[in-house]
Amino acid sequence: MKQFTSRSDEFILSELGDRISQTRLNANISQKLLAKEAGISQRTMTRIESGESVQFINIIRVLRAL
């Protein structure tokens, strides 16, 4: 985690979104299905994977669903 201490918030959100996206793709799950499983909208799922700002609770929901 030390690698993130000097990074911007935007970089961290982008990196987290990339990692969630890659995990989803490796599991062969669509954004639509993961959003449904997580109980969030598909638009929120897209925002997470794009590194946009979202409520942290939504990221937790996605991580649980993965």
Side-chain angles (χ1 to χ4, degrees), residues 9 12 24 34 43-44 48 50 53 57-58 61 65-66:
D9 295 345
I12 294 170
R24 176 183 63 76
L34 182 55
R43 174 69 182 128
T44 298
I48 290 170
S50 297
S53 182
I57 192 70
N58 291 326
R61 290 173 178 158
L66 282 172

Side-chain angles (χ1 to χ4, degrees), residues 2-63:
K2 204 168 194 163
Q3 68 190 37
F4 291 110
T5 57
S6 63
R7 301 295 183 150
S8 69
D9 295 345
E10 292 77 16
F11 174 85
I12 294 170
L13 283 172
S14 178
E15 183 67 23
L16 184 57
D18 288 345
R19 291 180 185 199
I20 288 171
S21 177
Q22 193 58 53
T23 301
R24 176 183 63 76
L25 291 170
N26 288 344
N28 200 30
I29 302 170
S30 69
Q31 268 191 347
K32 185 176 182 177
L33 178 59
L34 182 55
K36 182 177 179 181
E37 292 291 321
I40 63 173
S41 71
Q42 188 171 356
R43 174 69 182 128
T44 298
M45 187 70 241
T46 300
R47 290 182 60 145
I48 290 170
E49 290 189 356
S50 297
E52 296 178 41
S53 182
V54 296
Q55 291 182 350
F56 191 65
I57 192 70
N58 291 326
I59 294 173
I60 292 170
R61 290 173 178 158
V62 169
L63 295 175

